[in-house]
């Protein structure tokens, strides 16, 4: 009987299953002063709690707020708003399915402070030491691949192309 229970626990756990968290920006090109959101969506099986490490460049962006998205119902940021890196916890009332497909986890709001580009806001974990997603049955760490969103903060917004119907080949790209 014990070997059957152990086999069932192993088969029910999500160890070895590919898991991803994808981060998308509401706008990939915010202008200085504009707020934007970063949404986390997951494909992490059989979990009901996760802790992620949020890191951001405080000279380029400011953290404003965050919230859990259904099916998750708890969101906790574990330090002052300007602290980076910091831990963010998400919890759901029950475990995600073993083959969950993609579901929402949370959304965070930032304000663009200065011109910059690249991974100005990143999310990851530390392999389960302090941060990560854990299996609801075995409590084992679930390895997650984080797909980051690149942001380009501009000073005056994107360039506007001015065209005329007479001779579009001599139109210019005019920054405003």
């Amino acid at each position: 009987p014990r070997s059957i229970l152990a086999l069932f626990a192993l088969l029910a756990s999500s160890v070895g299953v590919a898991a991803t968290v994808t981060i998308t920006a509401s706008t990939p090109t915010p202008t200085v002063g504009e707020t934007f959101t970063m949404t986390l969506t997951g494909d992490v099986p059989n979990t009901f709690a996760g802790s992620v490490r949020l890191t951001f460049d405080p000279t380029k962006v400011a953290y404003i707020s965050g919230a859990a998205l259904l099916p998750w119902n708890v969101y906790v940021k574990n330090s002052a708003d300007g602290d980076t890196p910091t831990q963010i916890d998400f919890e759901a009332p029950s475990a995600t399915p073993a083959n969950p497909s993609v579901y929402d986890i949370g959304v965070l709001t930032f304000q663009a402070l200065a011109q910059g580009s690249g991974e100005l806001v990143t999310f990851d974990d530390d392999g389960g030491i302090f941060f990560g997603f854990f299996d609801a049955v075995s409590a084992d760490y679930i390895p997650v691949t984080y797909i980051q969103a690149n942001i380009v903060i501009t000073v005056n917004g994107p360039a506007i192309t001015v065209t005329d119907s007479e001779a579009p080949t001599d139109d210019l790209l005019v920054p405003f």
Side-chain angles (χ1 to χ4, degrees):
R2 283 187 178 194
S3 60
I4 293 173
L5 288 175
L7 179 60
F8 176 74
L10 180 62
L11 293 173
S13 79
S14 55
V15 175
V17 176
T20 59
V21 171
T22 302
I23 298 93
T24 54
S26 58
T27 176
T29 56
T31 58
V32 171
E34 184 178 15
T35 59
F36 62 95
T37 61
M38 303 289 279
T39 301
L40 285 74
T41 54
D43 187 357
V44 183
N46 200 40
T47 188
F48 63 89
S51 293
V52 296
R53 179 175 39 207
L54 163 65
T55 306
F56 58 93
D57 183 341
T59 67
K60 307 289 184 203
V61 299
Y63 170 85
I64 303 296
S65 64
L69 297 173
L70 293 175
W72 302 81
N73 63 350
V74 174
Y75 170 89
V76 178
K77 183 175 182 298
N78 293 300
S79 64
D81 288 349
D83 289 353
T84 182
T86 187
Q87 179 176 341
I88 296 176
D89 297 324
F90 296 96
E91 294 180 17
S94 60
T96 58
N99 297 305
S101 70
V102 177
Y103 52 84
D104 291 329
I105 298 174
V107 61
L108 287 78
T109 302
F110 296 88
Q111 182 175 24
L113 300 176
Q115 187 173 4
S117 64
E119 292 182 351
L120 301 177
V121 178
T122 61
F123 300 85
D124 64 7
D125 64 47
D126 62 1
I129 297 169
F130 295 107
F131 308 104
F133 287 86
F134 299 90
D135 186 87
V137 174
S138 68
D140 290 333
Y141 167 72
I142 302 170
V144 174
T145 300
Y146 292 84
I147 302 168
Q148 306 293 337
N150 286 319
I151 304 272
V152 177
I153 300 173
T154 58
V155 176
N156 293 320
I160 298 172
T161 303
V162 178
T163 62
D164 62 35
S165 58
E166 294 291 322
T169 56
D170 66 358
D171 292 337
L172 300 175
L173 185 62
V174 180
F176 287 89

